[in-house]
Amino acid sequence: MIAHVVYRQEIHAEVGGIIPEWASREHEVKLPLAVQQVLKEGQTSWRDLEAIAAAQGPGLIGSLLIGSTYARALAAAWQRPFIGVHHLEAHVASLELQGKPLAYPLIVLVATGGHTHLFQVLHPLHFQLIGRTRDDAVGEAFDKVAASLGLPYPGGPAIEKLSQMGDPYAFSFPLPQTPHPWDFSFSGLKTAFIYARQKHPNLPVEDLCASWQHTVALYLVDKLIKAAQTLGVPRVGLVGGVAANLYLRQLLQTKAEAEGYEVFLAPLSYCMDNAAMIAVAAWHKYINGAYTSLTEAPFAR
Ligand code: KG4
Ligand code: ZN
């Protein structure tokens, strides 16, 4: 990697969630500056670039429109191919930023604020969706649980921090059931936390958070390992913002390795949305000549 710039939008922290309109406006202001900065840090010129890539979706449409339109305009002006990348495929590609070469097939859990998807990945460009959340995404559940405690957005890191001081076995939450074994459901777990807090006001909040985080981690890890077992795939991966959770990483590593699976984790600094993972996914498409038309619009879902 030559250079990498991440601009985090802090304005959402106070209101406890992302305001799409604000996110788009911040994108519009910060994106040209980030492009300038990354070229400067890389001591390179646009003339050295072979292609321009951007996320095409799924995600917040306002932000996607700004990123994709800006990238397509640069591609047109600089006469380079444009490569539109699928947001979740890019999260999977973040596994390649950990140094160890990736092997296929593998079962990957994409755990973000908007998605909780299980993919069987057969090749860098060949994905099969095998399971998904039926309601809230796991990151969204972390954010809502945090908001119920008055903690700032994003809620995941705040819950993780409280949990480090609590007992993960203090309280037991029921595991959600779904019709399909590899699907997920988080809305009941989130509500169970809020009820438990109201019903047991004397239970230390650290214990409640640690127990809730433990249940969520166990639920994710068990499904990931079971899917790999059923499909006879010897390796598993974990990516997305929620993959930054150290308790979840540790639990997956311990359980999956004990059962003989090879474990791939997105590096901590590439779990949350970032441009490096977009570039890795785009590179696979670029070397396969899979360019995107300059008229192709981004998509929300
Ligand atoms: O991948 P990401 O940056 O954006 C989406 O594509 O949605 O994921 C953001 C999500 C947020 O819901 C945030 O609370 C969660 O990832 N997250 C965490 C942690 N760090 C970020 N969840 C649990 N534990 C963490 N340490
Ligand atoms: Zn993401």
Coordinates of all heavy atoms in Angstrom, one line a residue, residues 86 88-89 92-93 95 102-110 116-132 180 182-184 223-239 261:
H86 N -18.6 -3.7 -4.7 CA -19.7 -4.0 -3.8 C -19.2 -3.8 -2.4 O -18.1 -4.4 -2.0 CB -20.1 -5.5 -4.0 CG -21.4 -5.9 -3.3 ND1 -21.5 -6.1 -2.0 CD2 -22.7 -6.0 -3.8 CE1 -22.7 -6.4 -1.6 NE2 -23.5 -6.4 -2.7
L88 N -19.9 -5.0 0.6 CA -19.7 -6.2 1.4 C -18.5 -7.0 0.9 O -17.8 -7.6 1.6 CB -20.9 -7.0 1.6 CG -22.1 -6.2 2.2 CD1 -23.3 -7.1 2.4 CD2 -21.7 -5.5 3.4
E89 N -18.4 -7.1 -0.5 CA -17.2 -7.8 -1.0 C -15.9 -7.1 -0.6 O -14.9 -7.7 -0.4 CB -17.4 -7.8 -2.6 CG -18.5 -8.7 -3.0 CD -18.6 -8.9 -4.5 OE1 -17.7 -8.4 -5.3 OE2 -19.5 -9.5 -5.0
V92 N -15.0 -8.2 2.8 CA -14.3 -9.5 2.7 C -12.9 -9.3 2.2 O -12.0 -10.0 2.8 CB -15.1 -10.5 1.8 CG1 -14.3 -11.8 1.6 CG2 -16.5 -10.7 2.3
A93 N -12.7 -8.4 1.3 CA -11.3 -8.2 0.8 C -10.4 -7.7 1.8 O -9.1 -7.8 1.7 CB -11.4 -7.2 -0.4
L95 N -9.7 -8.9 4.4 CA -9.0 -10.1 5.0 C -7.6 -10.1 4.3 O -6.6 -10.7 4.9 CB -9.7 -11.4 4.7 CG -11.0 -11.6 5.5 CD1 -11.7 -12.9 5.1 CD2 -10.7 -11.7 7.0
L102 N -4.7 -15.4 1.6 CA -6.0 -15.9 1.8 C -6.2 -17.2 1.0 O -5.7 -17.2 -0.2 CB -7.0 -14.9 1.4 CG -8.4 -14.9 2.0 CD1 -8.3 -14.9 3.5 CD2 -9.2 -13.7 1.5
A103 N -6.8 -18.2 1.5 CA -7.1 -19.4 0.7 C -8.6 -19.6 0.6 O -9.4 -19.1 1.4 CB -6.5 -20.6 1.5
Y104 N -9.0 -20.3 -0.5 CA -10.4 -20.4 -0.8 C -10.7 -21.9 -0.9 O -9.9 -22.7 -1.2 CB -10.8 -19.7 -2.1 CG -10.4 -18.3 -2.1 CD1 -9.2 -17.8 -2.5 CD2 -11.4 -17.4 -1.7 CE1 -8.9 -16.5 -2.4 CE2 -11.1 -16.0 -1.6 CZ -9.8 -15.6 -2.0 OH -9.5 -14.2 -2.0
P105 N -12.0 -22.3 -0.7 CA -13.1 -21.5 -0.2 C -13.0 -21.2 1.2 O -12.3 -21.8 2.0 CB -14.3 -22.4 -0.5 CG -13.8 -23.8 -0.3 CD -12.4 -23.8 -0.8
L106 N -13.8 -20.1 1.6 CA -13.9 -19.9 3.1 C -15.3 -19.3 3.4 O -15.9 -18.7 2.5 CB -12.7 -19.0 3.6 CG -12.8 -17.5 3.4 CD1 -11.8 -16.8 4.4 CD2 -12.3 -17.1 2.0
I107 N -15.7 -19.4 4.6 CA -17.0 -18.9 5.1 C -16.6 -17.6 5.8 O -15.8 -17.6 6.8 CB -17.7 -19.9 6.0 CG1 -17.8 -21.3 5.4 CG2 -19.1 -19.3 6.3 CD1 -18.7 -21.3 4.1
V108 N -17.2 -16.5 5.4 CA -17.0 -15.2 6.0 C -18.2 -14.6 6.6 O -19.3 -14.6 5.9 CB -16.4 -14.2 5.0 CG1 -16.0 -12.9 5.6 CG2 -15.1 -14.8 4.3
L109 N -18.1 -14.1 7.8 CA -19.1 -13.4 8.5 C -18.8 -11.9 8.3 O -17.8 -11.4 8.7 CB -19.2 -13.7 9.9 CG -20.2 -12.9 10.8 CD1 -21.6 -13.1 10.3 CD2 -20.0 -13.1 12.2
V110 N -19.8 -11.2 7.6 CA -19.6 -9.7 7.5 C -20.6 -9.1 8.5 O -21.8 -9.2 8.4 CB -20.1 -9.3 6.0 CG1 -19.9 -7.8 5.9 CG2 -19.3 -10.0 5.0
T116 N -25.5 -8.1 8.5 CA -24.9 -9.3 9.1 C -25.2 -10.4 8.1 O -26.3 -11.0 8.1 CB -25.6 -9.6 10.5 OG1 -25.6 -8.4 11.2 CG2 -24.9 -10.7 11.2
H117 N -24.2 -10.7 7.3 CA -24.3 -11.6 6.2 C -23.2 -12.7 6.3 O -22.1 -12.5 6.7 CB -24.0 -10.9 4.9 CG -25.2 -10.2 4.3 ND1 -26.3 -9.8 5.0 CD2 -25.4 -9.8 3.0 CE1 -27.1 -9.2 4.2 NE2 -26.6 -9.2 3.0
L118 N -23.6 -14.0 6.0 CA -22.7 -15.1 5.9 C -22.5 -15.4 4.4 O -23.5 -15.6 3.7 CB -23.2 -16.3 6.6 CG -22.9 -16.6 8.1 CD1 -23.5 -17.9 8.5 CD2 -21.4 -16.6 8.3
F119 N -21.2 -15.4 4.0 CA -20.9 -15.7 2.6 C -20.1 -16.9 2.5 O -19.1 -17.1 3.3 CB -20.1 -14.6 1.9 CG -20.9 -13.3 1.6 CD1 -20.8 -12.2 2.4 CD2 -21.8 -13.3 0.6 CE1 -21.5 -11.0 2.1 CE2 -22.6 -12.2 0.3 CZ -22.4 -11.0 1.0
Q120 N -20.3 -17.8 1.5 CA -19.3 -18.7 1.1 C -18.6 -18.1 0.0 O -19.1 -17.7 -1.0 CB -20.0 -20.0 0.7 CG -18.9 -21.0 0.1 CD -19.4 -22.4 0.0 OE1 -18.7 -23.4 0.3 NE2 -20.6 -22.6 -0.5
V121 N -17.3 -17.9 0.2 CA -16.4 -17.2 -0.8 C -15.6 -18.3 -1.5 O -14.8 -19.0 -0.9 CB -15.5 -16.1 -0.2 CG1 -14.8 -15.4 -1.3 CG2 -16.3 -15.2 0.7
L122 N -15.9 -18.4 -2.8 CA -15.2 -19.5 -3.6 C -14.0 -19.0 -4.3 O -13.1 -19.8 -4.7 CB -16.2 -20.1 -4.6 CG -17.5 -20.6 -4.0 CD1 -18.6 -20.8 -5.0 CD2 -17.2 -21.9 -3.3
H123 N -13.9 -17.7 -4.5 CA -12.8 -17.1 -5.3 C -13.0 -15.6 -5.0 O -14.1 -15.1 -4.6 CB -13.1 -17.5 -6.7 CG -12.5 -16.7 -7.8 ND1 -13.0 -15.5 -8.3 CD2 -11.3 -16.9 -8.4 CE1 -12.2 -15.1 -9.3 NE2 -11.2 -15.9 -9.4
P124 N -12.0 -14.7 -5.2 CA -12.1 -13.3 -4.8 C -13.4 -12.6 -5.5 O -13.9 -11.6 -5.0 CB -10.8 -12.6 -5.3 CG -9.8 -13.7 -5.3 CD -10.6 -15.0 -5.6
L125 N -13.8 -13.2 -6.6 CA -14.9 -12.5 -7.3 C -16.2 -13.4 -7.3 O -17.2 -13.1 -8.0 CB -14.6 -12.2 -8.7 CG -13.4 -11.2 -8.9 CD1 -13.1 -11.0 -10.4 CD2 -13.8 -9.9 -8.3
H126 N -16.2 -14.5 -6.5 CA -17.3 -15.4 -6.5 C -17.9 -15.6 -5.1 O -17.3 -16.3 -4.3 CB -16.9 -16.7 -7.2 CG -18.1 -17.6 -7.4 ND1 -18.0 -18.8 -8.1 CD2 -19.4 -17.5 -7.1 CE1 -19.2 -19.3 -8.2 NE2 -20.1 -18.5 -7.6
F127 N -19.0 -15.0 -4.8 CA -19.6 -15.0 -3.5 C -21.0 -15.7 -3.5 O -21.7 -15.4 -4.4 CB -19.8 -13.6 -3.0 CG -18.6 -12.8 -2.6 CD1 -17.6 -12.5 -3.6 CD2 -18.4 -12.4 -1.3 CE1 -16.5 -11.9 -3.2 CE2 -17.2 -11.8 -1.0 CZ -16.3 -11.5 -1.9
Q128 N -21.2 -16.5 -2.5 CA -22.6 -17.0 -2.3 C -23.1 -16.6 -1.0 O -22.5 -16.9 0.1 CB -22.6 -18.6 -2.4 CG -22.4 -19.1 -3.8 CD -22.2 -20.6 -3.8 OE1 -21.8 -21.2 -2.8 NE2 -22.3 -21.2 -5.0
L129 N -24.3 -15.9 -1.0 CA -24.9 -15.5 0.3 C -25.6 -16.7 0.9 O -26.5 -17.3 0.3 CB -25.9 -14.4 0.1 CG -26.6 -13.9 1.3 CD1 -25.6 -13.2 2.2 CD2 -27.7 -12.8 0.9
I130 N -25.2 -17.2 2.1 CA -25.8 -18.4 2.7 C -26.6 -18.1 3.9 O -27.3 -18.9 4.4 CB -24.7 -19.5 3.0 CG1 -23.7 -18.9 3.9 CG2 -24.1 -20.0 1.7 CD1 -22.8 -20.0 4.5
G131 N -26.5 -16.9 4.5 CA -27.3 -16.5 5.7 C -27.3 -15.0 5.9 O -26.3 -14.3 5.4
R132 N -28.3 -14.5 6.6 CA -28.3 -13.0 6.8 C -29.3 -12.8 8.0 O -30.1 -13.6 8.3 CB -28.8 -12.3 5.6 CG -30.2 -12.8 5.1 CD -30.6 -12.2 3.8 NE -30.7 -10.8 4.1 CZ -31.0 -9.9 3.1 NH1 -31.1 -10.3 1.8 NH2 -31.0 -8.6 3.3
H180 N -34.2 -20.5 9.3 CA -33.1 -21.1 8.7 C -31.9 -21.0 9.6 O -31.6 -20.0 10.2 CB -32.7 -20.3 7.4 CG -31.7 -21.1 6.5 ND1 -30.4 -21.0 6.8 CD2 -31.9 -21.9 5.5 CE1 -29.7 -21.8 5.9 NE2 -30.6 -22.3 5.1
W182 N -28.7 -20.6 9.4 CA -27.6 -19.7 9.2 C -28.1 -18.2 9.2 O -27.3 -17.3 8.9 CB -26.8 -20.0 8.0 CG -26.3 -21.4 8.0 CD1 -26.0 -22.1 9.1 CD2 -25.9 -22.2 6.9 NE1 -25.6 -23.4 8.7 CE2 -25.5 -23.4 7.4 CE3 -26.0 -22.0 5.5 CZ2 -25.1 -24.5 6.6 CZ3 -25.6 -23.0 4.7 CH2 -25.1 -24.3 5.2
D183 N -29.4 -18.0 9.4 CA -29.9 -16.6 9.5 C -29.7 -16.1 10.9 O -29.5 -16.9 11.8 CB -31.4 -16.6 9.1 CG -31.5 -16.6 7.6 OD1 -30.5 -16.4 6.9 OD2 -32.6 -16.8 7.1
F184 N -29.8 -14.8 11.1 CA -29.7 -14.2 12.4 C -30.9 -13.3 12.7 O -31.6 -12.9 11.8 CB -28.4 -13.3 12.4 CG -27.1 -13.9 12.0 CD1 -26.7 -14.0 10.7 CD2 -26.3 -14.5 13.0 CE1 -25.5 -14.6 10.4 CE2 -25.1 -15.1 12.7 CZ -24.7 -15.1 11.4
K223 N -22.7 -19.9 14.7 CA -23.3 -20.0 13.3 C -22.3 -20.1 12.3 O -22.4 -20.8 11.3 CB -24.2 -18.8 13.1 CG -25.5 -18.8 13.9 CD -26.7 -18.3 13.2 CE -27.9 -18.4 14.2 NZ -29.1 -18.8 13.5
L224 N -21.2 -19.3 12.4 CA -20.1 -19.2 11.5 C -19.5 -20.6 11.4 O -19.3 -21.2 10.3 CB -19.1 -18.1 11.9 CG -17.9 -18.0 11.0 CD1 -18.2 -17.8 9.6 CD2 -17.1 -16.8 11.5
I225 N -19.2 -21.2 12.6 CA -18.5 -22.5 12.6 C -19.5 -23.6 12.1 O -19.0 -24.5 11.3 CB -18.0 -22.9 14.0 CG1 -16.9 -21.9 14.4 CG2 -17.5 -24.3 14.1 CD1 -16.4 -22.1 15.8
K226 N -20.7 -23.5 12.4 CA -21.7 -24.5 12.0 C -21.8 -24.5 10.4 O -21.9 -25.5 9.8 CB -23.1 -24.3 12.6 CG -23.1 -25.1 13.9 CD -24.5 -25.5 14.4 CE -24.4 -26.0 15.8 NZ -24.7 -25.0 16.8
A227 N -21.9 -23.3 9.9 CA -22.0 -23.2 8.4 C -20.8 -23.8 7.8 O -20.9 -24.6 6.8 CB -22.1 -21.7 8.0
A228 N -19.6 -23.5 8.3 CA -18.4 -24.1 7.7 C -18.4 -25.6 7.8 O -18.0 -26.4 6.9 CB -17.1 -23.5 8.4
Q229 N -18.8 -26.1 9.0 CA -18.9 -27.6 9.2 C -19.9 -28.2 8.2 O -19.5 -29.2 7.6 CB -19.5 -27.7 10.6 CG -18.9 -28.8 11.5 CD -19.4 -28.6 12.9 OE1 -20.5 -28.2 13.2 NE2 -18.5 -28.9 13.9
T230 N -21.1 -27.7 8.1 CA -22.1 -28.2 7.2 C -21.6 -28.2 5.7 O -21.8 -29.2 5.0 CB -23.4 -27.5 7.3 OG1 -23.7 -27.3 8.7 CG2 -24.5 -28.2 6.6
L231 N -20.9 -27.2 5.3 CA -20.5 -27.1 3.9 C -19.1 -27.7 3.7 O -18.6 -27.7 2.6 CB -20.4 -25.6 3.5 CG -21.8 -24.9 3.4 CD1 -21.7 -23.4 3.3 CD2 -22.7 -25.5 2.3
G232 N -18.5 -28.2 4.8 CA -17.2 -28.9 4.7 C -16.1 -27.9 4.2 O -15.2 -28.3 3.5
V233 N -16.2 -26.7 4.7 CA -15.1 -25.7 4.4 C -14.2 -25.5 5.6 O -14.6 -25.3 6.7 CB -15.8 -24.3 4.0 CG1 -14.8 -23.2 3.9 CG2 -16.7 -24.5 2.8
P234 N -12.9 -25.7 5.3 CA -11.9 -25.7 6.5 C -11.5 -24.4 7.0 O -10.6 -24.3 7.9 CB -10.7 -26.5 5.9 CG -10.8 -26.1 4.5 CD -12.2 -25.9 4.1
R235 N -12.0 -23.3 6.5 CA -11.5 -22.0 7.0 C -12.7 -21.0 7.2 O -13.6 -21.0 6.4 CB -10.4 -21.4 6.2 CG -10.6 -21.5 4.7 CD -9.4 -21.1 3.9 NE -8.6 -22.3 3.7 CZ -8.8 -23.2 2.7 NH1 -9.8 -23.0 1.9 NH2 -8.1 -24.2 2.5
V236 N -12.5 -20.1 8.1 CA -13.5 -19.1 8.4 C -12.9 -17.7 8.5 O -11.7 -17.5 8.9 CB -14.3 -19.4 9.7 CG1 -15.1 -20.6 9.6 CG2 -13.4 -19.4 10.9
G237 N -13.7 -16.6 8.2 CA -13.2 -15.3 8.3 C -14.2 -14.4 9.0 O -15.4 -14.6 9.0
L238 N -13.7 -13.3 9.5 CA -14.6 -12.3 10.2 C -14.2 -10.9 9.8 O -13.0 -10.5 9.9 CB -14.4 -12.5 11.8 CG -15.1 -11.5 12.6 CD1 -16.6 -11.6 12.6 CD2 -14.6 -11.6 14.1
V239 N -15.1 -10.1 9.3 CA -14.8 -8.8 8.8 C -16.0 -7.8 9.2 O -17.0 -8.2 9.6 CB -14.7 -8.8 7.3 CG1 -13.6 -9.7 6.8 CG2 -16.0 -9.1 6.6
Y261 N -10.3 -25.3 12.5 CA -10.5 -24.4 11.4 C -9.4 -23.4 11.4 O -9.0 -22.9 12.4 CB -11.9 -23.7 11.5 CG -13.0 -24.6 11.3 CD1 -13.6 -25.3 12.3 CD2 -13.5 -24.9 10.0 CE1 -14.7 -26.2 12.2 CE2 -14.5 -25.8 9.8 CZ -15.1 -26.5 10.9 OH -16.1 -27.4 10.7

